[in-house]
Amino acid sequence: MSKHLQRDLDHLKDELLAMGSMVESAINKAIAALIERNVELAEEVLEGDTQINLKENQIEEECLKILALHQPVAADLRFIIVALKVNNDLERIADLATNIAERSTYLSTHENLDATLDFSKMTEDVRDMVQGSLDSLVDQDTTLAQSVLSKDDDVDSINRKMFQTLQIHMKNKPETVERAVQLLSVSRYLERIADLATNIAEDVIFMVEGELIRHHFTSHHKEES
């Protein structure tokens, strides 16, 4: 590998990590806005989305430049492919965090529902999955990546229970339908973030081992997707 290629790959990795840090911050603020009913935090998420979009474009341009200038092969090529895919998944996670922030703004101005909803466990699992997927990318740790995959079923299960609980609640108390729908949306957005963290973990395994496992790890594919 030439020193110029190594320099560009190192820079790309740094940019991808910066993107990951921005997205993690957006998720944490969106979740805090939801749990704490904090409108100011929700607004910070909305305002930060533009910077994340700009970073995504910058990283994509870096990837394409490296492909054009250096024509990498083998492990280096896999890293570029994964960088492009992870970059896109991170931007989609940020969009979902924005959606959660928007729902949080509405919910913070309305009375809480009298329903048992396990958002605390769900948000904890989702944050762990995102952090684990990014750590596995940094460390090229396939064991950690596999642990992210194994958590996806837990998030799916909580999402299904949320739907069932809120469905019953809406039938019994029709006046709460709007709030319940907002909460259902939040649950679905969190479940989608978990899916995208799973995608990143799968891509890490591909990058390190050269093995495509997507559509083969059966426990993390949704019946309703």
Side-chain angles (χ1 to χ4, degrees):
M1 181 195 305
S2 72
K3 64 179 181 180
H4 299 294
L5 173 57
Q6 185 62 60
R7 177 199 62 201
D8 288 347
L9 290 175
D10 289 342
H11 181 258
L12 175 59
K13 184 177 182 180
D14 289 341
E15 290 298 295
L16 202 57
L17 294 179
M19 174 76 159
S21 178
M22 294 167 70
V23 171
E24 277 195 284
S25 177
I27 294 170
N28 290 333
K29 288 180 180 178
I31 288 172
L34 173 70
I35 301 298
E36 300 170 12
R37 299 168 66 84
N38 188 320
V39 176
E40 291 182 0
L41 281 176
E43 290 175 350
E44 288 183 22
V45 176
L46 301 179
E47 292 169 0
D49 191 54
T50 299
Q51 292 302 313
I52 291 175
N53 291 338
L54 290 173
K55 179 66 74 174
E56 183 207 12
N57 290 338
Q58 178 185 347
I59 290 173
E60 183 173 330
E61 290 173 2
E62 287 288 323
C63 289
L64 296 177
K65 183 184 75 173
I66 293 172
L67 287 171
L69 290 178
H70 302 293
Q71 298 181 340
V73 296
D76 294 333
L77 178 60
R78 289 203 302 271
F79 174 72
I80 302 299
I81 293 170
V82 166
L84 281 166
K85 295 169 73 176
V86 169
N87 184 45
N88 180 252
D89 284 339
L90 287 172
E91 191 276 333
R92 291 167 66 193
I93 289 174
D95 284 345
L96 291 164
T98 299
N99 292 343
I100 292 171
E102 290 172 343
R103 299 301 182 273
S104 299
T105 299
Y106 171 87
L107 291 165
S108 67
T109 61
H110 293 74
E111 186 179 351
N112 278 327
L113 287 188
D114 182 21
T116 302
L117 303 171
D118 201 0
F119 273 114
S120 179
K121 177 66 165 65
M122 190 178 198
T123 54
E124 179 184 350
D125 285 348
V126 168
R127 276 190 288 210
D128 285 347
M129 290 180 69
V130 173
Q131 183 177 8
S133 67
L134 293 173
D135 287 346
S136 72
L137 176 65
V138 172
D139 299 331
Q140 298 190 23
D141 186 340
T142 57
T143 300
L144 181 55
Q146 290 285 358
S147 73
V148 172
L149 304 185
S150 67
K151 289 182 179 180
D152 194 44
D153 284 342
D154 293 337
V155 175
D156 291 343
S157 177
I158 295 173
N159 182 53
R160 284 192 295 269
K161 290 176 182 176
M162 291 269 199
F163 178 82
Q164 294 164 359
T165 299
L166 289 169
Q167 186 178 45
I168 293 170
H169 192 86
M170 286 186 285
K171 287 180 180 178
N172 294 335
K173 298 182 179 180
E175 70 277 9
T176 67
V177 165
E178 181 61 27
R179 279 174 286 164
V181 168
Q182 297 287 332
L183 289 167
L184 278 172
S185 295
V186 171
S187 180
R188 177 57 176 165
Y189 296 146
L190 288 167
E191 189 263 348
R192 284 296 301 135
I193 290 174
D195 286 348
L196 292 166
T198 297
N199 287 353
I200 294 172
E202 290 174 332
D203 289 335
V204 169
I205 294 171
F206 166 71
M207 179 179 68
V208 176
E209 300 181 352
E211 178 186 4
L212 284 169
I213 67 168
R214 194 164 295 178
H215 309 306
H216 293 285
F217 194 90
T218 57
S219 71
H220 61 74
H221 284 280
K222 261 56 60 190
E223 296 177 358
E224 67 266 28
S225 62

